[in-house]
Amino acid sequence: MKTRLNLQHALAASALVLLSACSTTSQQQATDNSKLPPVGNTLSKAAVAPEALLNRLSWGSNPSTLQAMQAVGPDRYLDQQLRGRNATLPAAIQAQVDAMTISRQPFMDTMRDLEARRVASEQQKGTDDTLRKEYQQEMTRLAREAANRALLRDIYSSNQLQEQMSWFWMNHFNIHSGKHNIRAMLGDFEEQAIRPNALGNFRDLLRATVMHPAMLRYLDNEYNAVNRINENYARELMELHTMGVNGGYSQKDVQELARVLTGVGVSLNKDAPRMKPEQEKLYVRKGMFEFQPQRHDFGDKQILGQTIKGRGIAELDDVLLMLSRQPATARYVSQKLAQFFVADNPSRDLVEKMAQRFLQTDGDIPATLRTMFDSQEFVASLGKKFKDPMHYMLASVRLAYDGNTIVNTGPMLNWLNMMGQQLNGRQTPDGYALDESAWASSGQMTVRFDIARSLANGNPGLFKVDTPAPLATTAAAMPAASMTPSVAANGMQAPVMSTPAPATPVTAQATTPAAPAAPKPPPPALATSGYVKNWSKQFSPATQTALSQASTPQEWNALFLASPEMMRR
Amino acid sequence: MKRRDLLKALALLPSTAMLGISSQVMAAPATQNRLLLVFLRGGYDASNLLIPTSSNFYYESRPNIAIARPGSTPDAALALNADWGLHPALRETIYPMFQQGEAAFIPFAGTEDLTRSHFETQDSIEMGQPLNGSRNFHSGFMNRLAKVLGNNGKMTAMSFTDQLPLAMQGSAHIANTALRNVSKNNVDQRQRDLILQMYADTSLSQAVKDGFAMRDEVAREMQEEMNSANRNAISTKGFELEAQRIARLMREKYALGFIDVGGWDTHVNQGGSSGTLAVKFEELGRGLAAYRKEMGDSWRNTTVVVISEFGRTFRENGKHGTDHGHGSVYWVLGGGIKGGQVAGEQIALEAGKLFQNRDYPVLNEYRAVLGGLFGRIYGLNTNQLDQVFAGVKARDLGLA
């Protein structure tokens, strides 16, 4: 649909969206230009078990999600989810999200504030390193907020497919929280680059990641300049983000793409650098994204057999268009989607069908997904896919605490850590593996049983307001980031929490407080739930026998969550 | 060490003769010998580990990050021989091992895979299969080695990682657990039995059994760690502690171990004798020294092999870092090895000798080299080696 000519406008426009969205609360874009056909009846006709279907479409089946699906039927439910409309959070959860610094403070302000802190900490004389510590703590706090927000949405959002796809793309375009100051950027990367495009067009998604400072920093492109080539990003852009390692490009293509990417970097300065007037016209600045003509290689490039005329940022538009339209890209992306949603080794036939749809629709993600969900292969695969840690944990929490308001995702972050799949904890840009053999190992299973037991007994940590013990000076320096709004909101909305946890004293040692009395957690809705009891009747005779031997409801819960059936989706 | 002597004698015989004898004499491989494979993920800069000190071209190519020639400055390379030096961050740990004949290095080592992709190359090395032809993506060479060594109901191999790496995946059941932080929560015996019952007829049954058994093992070792920590006031941290824990389990139980250490992808400001990479080398060196110490008497029967997916560009890039290259340097450590040497085929590093004018060529193909090493360590015959690295002629570099 889009011609190459208006792509430049699109690039500028998307960058403006990037900027303007900073000041508004997050709102997923409805995919108005969606190429979805009218709703069919594939899923209804196949009469799939509702729990099985929801275990794929959502982060885990539970009574409230089942209700939402039954209200419209499976096909229409899928259609709604694919169109990415009407996503809502319960008010108490939305209030927690709204109270976060990452929701309230424009990203640019946050990054400038951090940079000022960093500079101040470096100027601090002598052995006193309080400023450095505060700087580090603030970045950690921001990363924690981002993780918190992601997990709350995963558990509670009414558009579960969008949240699954957000995680999927966060993994596909993986960035690592350990590098430089990237942990302060995670929230914005997810909110502006990934999530709005998770059910949109692949090229928009790709472009948004290219234009985000977190990616440019993570893959070192901010250091990529003419005659001082750094080819790290160029390589991963082809290998991991678009065409796949055997996608038909060469070492030479990588080097040429790196030349295209010269001058593409990150800046926090208020003003453009000084340069010659003819270069000034070519300078581009959108948020922290910067194209610096002085650092760019203006020679012509040869990529995948095509000549890219050297002329500035427009070269990048050409290349992104070219990469997103490669049949190799269509296949690689389709293959990964099918691996995530269908099977470790999806058939060539399915992948080919999806890739064709991807190419026909010029990278429309919902259309590609619809082709997959409408296949017999998808239907036949339900209940068979081994859950990766994220799926296991979220499905268990969603089921155990459906209807409760979790106020602290700390225990969940800890579980992800134990299972080796921390949010943005993958150091390398390939993201976590998604297949069974990577996860179904002995160490993994014992950890899952520990988590099952911990959840089964009613995990108090999830309902205890977390005070992450900022230094007094940190709290003073960040008045906007006060914890109180979320505390108030949670106290109001969570009936089980009649008395909020006493505020932990704000001291440096507050991580080991004098054990504040934990509020009584709600019992997990498993052994007492008709829905779950009924579901367990579909389980194997061996599992049912074990469940019947449970001596307490807690033990029943633990065995249910530890069962082979709960390991698959 | 009688078996090893016998093997060395046998190795001198023509291979056909060896094959004939070995099927009887060496039906059971020498599983009292231990092997730990350390995978440095990220393609570490081998040229700054094993420094080609006789090469002027090295110093021209790395104006900012080269390590000075031995003796020239206090933080210069540590001389290994006329051509090679060692990074000074390993002065206290690996260098003494080299001097005592317990460490060796194999430069120009690696795979013929030319993608220069971390992930592709890691996978292809871990699979250890021919590059052309169909590959089995769930059959790693360490798993095949475990299978050859035989299980007999005992655990032969263990991966000290969160996930089972491709090298350890395959038909032999191999347990895994990361030992950075060990969880204390545990289901009780009764719940264990019920869980085992639920999994009895599933494909996960063995993993669940292994998991429980391994958990007991780790708990015992951790108890020992706590006891000794009480005696010694100073406790270790990080990789050093992890390596110590691994050693305890390897000493007691396992013939094969795997650990990976990430973070070697140094595109920017990797530093020279100090800096990012030096800190990583120091940490790794301390961990390996801790491992050696903790192994105690068993160190004599232990081999540690350190590998990485590839080396990096010979020339530094514009930001004082290095990009993805080809050939790497492998390390071989152990109490019973013939160390103190830089082994394998080598070339002088001069302008025009680089592979694709960029990086180290691979002259010592990893399957041939590792096969040769495994043959020596475990006394494997050619049949058995062929099960590990199909169709590869093992190459004995005389290190074991």
Side-chain angles (χ1 to χ4, degrees):
Chain A
M1 249 174 78
K2 280 170 186 161
T3 64
R4 188 171 298 192
L5 196 72
N6 68 19
L7 194 80
Q8 237 180 305
H9 299 280
L11 177 67
S14 75
L16 284 175
V17 169
L18 223 94
L19 268 181
S20 61
C22 293
S23 53
T24 61
T25 48
S26 64
Q27 202 83 56
Q28 56 285 330
Q29 295 166 313
T31 49
D32 293 328
N33 57 346
S34 170
K35 289 154 189 174
L36 285 180
V39 185
N41 62 355
T42 313
L43 295 171
S44 320
K45 225 166 63 187
V48 293
E51 291 85 7
L53 180 59
L54 275 182
N55 268 335
R56 271 307 159 73
L57 299 184
S58 77
W59 277 117
S61 178
N62 63 15
S64 60
T65 315
L66 181 67
Q67 218 171 12
M69 186 174 89
Q70 280 172 339
V72 292
D75 289 294
R76 197 163 289 280
Y77 178 78
L78 172 62
D79 192 67
Q80 284 174 358
Q81 297 275 307
L82 283 170
R83 288 179 197 276
R85 295 205 180 109
N86 307 322
T88 53
L89 288 173
I93 303 299
Q94 187 64 52
Q96 286 188 52
V97 171
D98 291 345
M100 294 177 184
T101 308
I102 53 171
S103 307
R104 295 151 56 116
Q105 184 166 288
F107 180 52
M108 198 69 170
D109 292 0
T110 302
M111 295 314 292
R112 288 215 169 106
D113 166 63
L114 283 172
E115 180 59 12
R117 286 167 183 246
R118 190 190 64 77
V119 170
S121 76
E122 285 197 348
Q123 285 165 351
Q124 191 173 44
K125 296 275 185 289
T127 53
D128 184 2
D129 65 349
T130 41
L131 290 182
R132 190 189 57 79
K133 276 191 186 148
E134 281 175 21
Y135 166 67
Q136 294 292 341
Q137 277 174 359
E138 178 59 7
M139 288 201 294
T140 302
R141 197 184 66 80
L142 291 166
R144 176 80 185 257
E145 276 194 354
N148 215 345
R149 182 175 65 187
L151 290 176
L152 289 175
R153 283 171 171 163
D154 292 339
I155 300 167
Y156 295 105
S157 172
S158 61
N159 196 327
Q160 285 285 301
L161 190 59
Q162 183 190 25
E163 301 308 330
Q164 270 203 92
M165 288 303 294
S166 295
W167 186 88
F168 175 85
W169 294 123
M170 281 295 279
N171 195 52
H172 181 85
F173 295 102
N174 182 51
I175 54 176
H176 179 234
S177 60
K179 188 163 178 171
H180 203 301
N181 61 357
I182 284 175
R183 63 191 193 278
M185 301 182 178
L186 295 171
D188 193 74
F189 182 70
E190 181 164 20
E191 193 70 359
Q192 303 304 336
I194 300 293
R195 200 162 168 272
N197 296 306
L199 285 170
N201 184 286
F202 181 76
R203 191 171 61 246
D204 297 339
L205 174 66
L206 178 67
R207 187 189 299 113
T209 61
V210 174
M211 294 193 69
H212 201 280
M215 184 61 81
L216 296 172
R217 180 150 289 170
Y218 174 55
L219 290 176
D220 303 314
N221 204 71
E222 58 181 324
Y223 304 117
N224 185 15
V226 59
N227 297 327
R228 288 186 289 126
I229 294 288
N230 193 308
E231 65 187 43
N232 198 19
Y233 187 29
R235 181 182 301 281
E236 308 307 7
L237 195 52
M238 288 180 133
E239 178 186 332
L240 298 172
H241 298 172
T242 59
M243 296 174 69
V245 71
N246 293 314
Y249 58 87
S250 65
Q251 170 65 37
K252 181 75 181 159
D253 288 322
V254 170
Q255 284 165 324
E256 293 288 280
L257 179 56
R259 290 177 63 216
V260 169
L261 283 164
T262 48
V264 173
V266 177
S267 172
L268 265 177
N269 297 331
K270 290 222 162 78
D271 305 311
R274 271 167 188 247
M275 60 193 113
K276 293 180 195 132
E278 67 266 27
Q279 286 187 325
E280 243 164 50
K281 282 182 289 187
L282 295 165
Y283 179 80
V284 179
R285 183 64 190 283
K286 310 281 181 207
M288 284 173 72
F289 174 90
E290 179 185 59
F291 174 72
Q292 238 284 31
Q294 283 169 310
R295 295 166 59 82
H296 185 68
D297 179 341
F298 278 89
D300 292 352
K301 291 99 184 168
Q302 293 283 335
I303 299 181
L304 302 173
Q306 288 195 43
T307 303
I308 309 285
K309 287 301 257 182
R311 61 198 192 282
I313 190 72
E315 298 165 38
L316 186 57
D317 303 344
D318 284 359
V319 166
L320 294 180
L321 183 69
M322 191 199 293
L323 287 176
S324 63
R325 285 186 173 165
Q326 291 294 314
T329 300
R331 270 195 291 273
Y332 179 65
V333 170
S334 298
Q335 162 79 27
K336 263 188 99 167
L337 286 168
Q339 198 182 49
F340 187 67
F341 281 110
V342 181
D344 288 355
N345 297 300
S347 72
R348 286 173 80 112
D349 186 48
L350 176 66
V351 173
E352 201 48 46
K353 267 192 213 145
M354 291 169 67
Q356 286 310 320
R357 190 77 183 121
F358 183 97
L359 290 171
Q360 279 162 14
T361 58
D362 206 10
D364 190 72
I365 296 165
T368 308
L369 286 173
R370 173 72 78 81
T371 299
M372 177 184 76
F373 288 132
D374 274 350
S375 72
Q376 280 312 306
E377 194 167 335
F378 170 74
V379 171
S381 74
L382 294 177
K384 297 192 177 132
K385 185 117 177 68
F386 190 78
K387 288 173 181 168
D388 61 275
M390 190 74 178
H391 273 105
Y392 176 70
M393 182 191 75
L394 287 171
S396 301
V397 170
R398 275 171 56 79
L399 191 58
Y401 291 114
D402 189 23
N404 295 114
T405 300
I406 288 171
V407 299
N408 183 4
T409 57
M412 298 172 69
L413 296 173
N414 188 34
W415 292 331
L416 285 175
N417 188 24
M418 282 161 60
M419 290 187 286
Q421 202 186 26
Q422 307 92 316
L423 293 173
N424 297 105
R426 178 82 177 174
Q427 213 167 31
T428 48
D430 56 340
Y432 292 109
L434 302 172
D435 58 333
E436 175 164 347
S437 61
W439 296 113
S441 61
S442 52
Q444 179 75 199
M445 296 309 291
T446 38
V447 171
R448 288 187 184 197
F449 301 148
D450 289 341
I451 293 167
R453 206 192 66 150
S454 179
L455 265 171
N457 294 336
N459 188 287
L462 295 166
F463 301 93
K464 193 160 63 185
V465 174
D466 188 29
T467 43
L471 291 169
T473 41
T474 316
M478 291 296 297
S482 159
M483 300 291 292
T484 28
S486 71
V487 174
N490 299 322
M492 192 171 59
Q493 293 292 333
V496 287
M497 280 203 35
S498 46
T499 49
T504 314
V506 181
T507 66
Q509 295 84 31
T511 38
T512 52
K520 191 173 156 27
L526 295 168
T528 53
S529 150
Y531 171 80
V532 176
K533 284 267 190 191
N534 201 39
W535 186 0
S536 72
K537 292 198 181 110
Q538 298 170 26
F539 288 10
S540 79
T543 302
Q544 294 196 46
T545 308
L547 284 170
S548 73
Q549 291 174 59
S551 53
T552 62
Q554 282 82 359
E555 194 165 82
W556 197 95
N557 294 346
L559 291 171
F560 180 87
L561 293 176
S563 70
E565 286 80 2
M566 274 303 282
M567 300 299 154
R568 300 189 182 274
R569 60 187 174 105
Chain B
M1 301 305 299
K2 271 184 185 161
R3 169 177 230 98
R4 190 170 276 207
D5 292 340
L6 172 67
L7 293 177
K8 282 172 185 167
L10 285 171
L12 299 173
L13 298 170
S15 62
T16 43
M18 182 168 163
L19 191 64
I21 300 166
S22 61
S23 55
Q24 291 171 333
V25 180
M26 289 173 287
T31 43
Q32 81 275 17
N33 292 331
R34 292 168 183 80
L35 171 74
L36 178 70
L37 186 74
V38 182
F39 203 120
L40 307 184
R41 297 195 189 271
Y44 87 99
D45 182 21
S47 310
N48 263 18
L49 179 278
L50 185 69
I51 295 116
T53 49
S54 64
S55 163
N56 290 330
F57 181 45
Y58 168 80
Y59 290 96
E60 288 157 19
S61 303
R62 297 186 166 215
N64 299 291
I65 62 168
I67 309 295
R69 289 196 163 97
S72 59
T73 63
D75 56 0
L78 310 163
L80 299 181
N81 63 26
D83 291 321
W84 301 99
L86 189 66
H87 194 287
L90 299 171
R91 184 188 303 276
E92 311 290 330
T93 54
I94 306 298
Y95 192 49
M97 283 193 220
F98 185 89
Q99 288 170 318
Q100 289 159 35
E102 295 184 357
F105 298 95
I106 309 168
F108 308 104
T111 157
E112 279 145 17
D113 189 312
L114 258 179
T115 57
R116 295 194 179 90
S117 148
H118 293 299
F119 321 107
E120 175 79 358
T121 317
Q122 284 174 20
D123 285 359
S124 99
I125 287 181
E126 291 188 58
M127 281 188 273
Q129 300 164 28
L131 288 175
N132 43 8
S134 73
R135 293 196 276 173
N136 179 350
F137 280 84
H138 298 297
S139 173
F141 75 81
M142 291 289 277
N143 189 289
R144 296 194 297 271
L145 179 58
K147 207 159 181 202
V148 166
L149 296 182
N151 220 322
N152 300 331
K154 288 186 204 140
M155 287 187 264
T156 311
M158 168 81 144
S159 181
F160 302 95
T161 50
D162 285 320
Q163 286 174 262
L164 201 57
L166 188 42
M168 287 290 214
Q169 288 179 29
S171 56
H173 288 288
I174 293 180
N176 74 309
T177 189
L179 295 178
R180 287 184 311 278
N181 34 25
V182 179
S183 152
K184 272 173 243 140
N185 283 355
N186 215 342
V187 293
D188 62 31
Q189 191 55 51
R190 173 192 149 71
Q191 288 162 350
R192 273 189 190 204
D193 291 344
L194 289 171
I195 288 171
L196 283 168
Q197 192 184 315
M198 290 196 289
Y199 281 87
D201 290 329
T202 71
S203 59
L204 295 168
S205 155
Q206 191 64 44
V208 172
K209 265 187 228 161
D210 287 351
F212 285 140
M214 176 198 70
R215 181 59 74 84
D216 290 341
E217 199 65 36
V218 170
R220 259 197 297 281
E221 297 306 328
M222 290 312 111
Q223 193 52 49
E224 192 184 311
E225 177 181 313
M226 282 170 66
N227 294 344
S228 68
N230 291 340
R231 286 199 300 275
N232 316 319
I234 304 161
S235 65
T236 48
K237 289 190 293 196
F239 181 63
E240 196 173 355
L241 173 63
E242 207 178 337
Q244 229 171 49
R245 289 173 168 174
I246 293 169
R248 258 181 241 125
L249 285 173
M250 288 292 289
R251 193 179 62 201
E252 304 299 332
K253 193 106 187 174
Y254 300 98
L256 291 175
F258 179 99
I259 173 85
D260 49 11
V261 186
W264 301 90
D265 197 11
T266 49
H267 288 272
V268 171
N269 293 333
Q270 67 175 47
S273 59
S274 62
T276 315
L277 186 61
V279 169
K280 294 236 39 135
F281 281 145
E282 218 240 317
E283 193 182 63
L284 178 66
R286 265 191 289 113
L288 294 172
Y291 182 86
R292 173 187 184 275
K293 191 170 169 218
E294 192 66 37
M295 287 304 280
D297 288 345
S298 301
W299 178 246
R300 280 184 296 134
N301 305 330
T302 292
T303 311
V304 177
V305 179
V306 182
I307 70 175
S308 189
E309 65 265 31
F310 44 60
R312 307 189 71 82
T313 47
F314 193 68
R315 299 179 184 90
E316 69 181 45
N317 67 19
K319 197 63 188 175
H320 303 176
T322 46
D323 292 316
H324 300 186
H326 189 44
S328 180
V329 174
Y330 289 0
W331 320 14
V332 181
L333 316 173
I337 71 159
K338 287 186 185 161
Q341 55 169 323
V342 178
E345 197 181 320
Q346 296 161 43
I347 51 161
L349 287 159
E350 294 155 9
K353 291 279 184 69
L354 295 182
F355 179 70
Q356 295 183 345
N357 190 28
R358 182 180 169 98
D359 39 42
Y360 279 7
V362 167
L363 307 175
N364 302 295
E365 202 268 344
Y366 76 108
R367 289 174 299 165
V369 168
L370 292 181
L373 200 58
F374 296 165
R376 283 302 191 103
I377 295 171
Y378 294 107
L380 304 182
N381 61 38
T382 43
N383 252 344
Q384 290 168 318
L385 281 176
D386 203 56
Q387 290 171 47
V388 182
F389 294 120
V392 175
K393 195 169 180 293
R395 205 165 138 199
D396 188 351
L397 298 185
L399 290 173

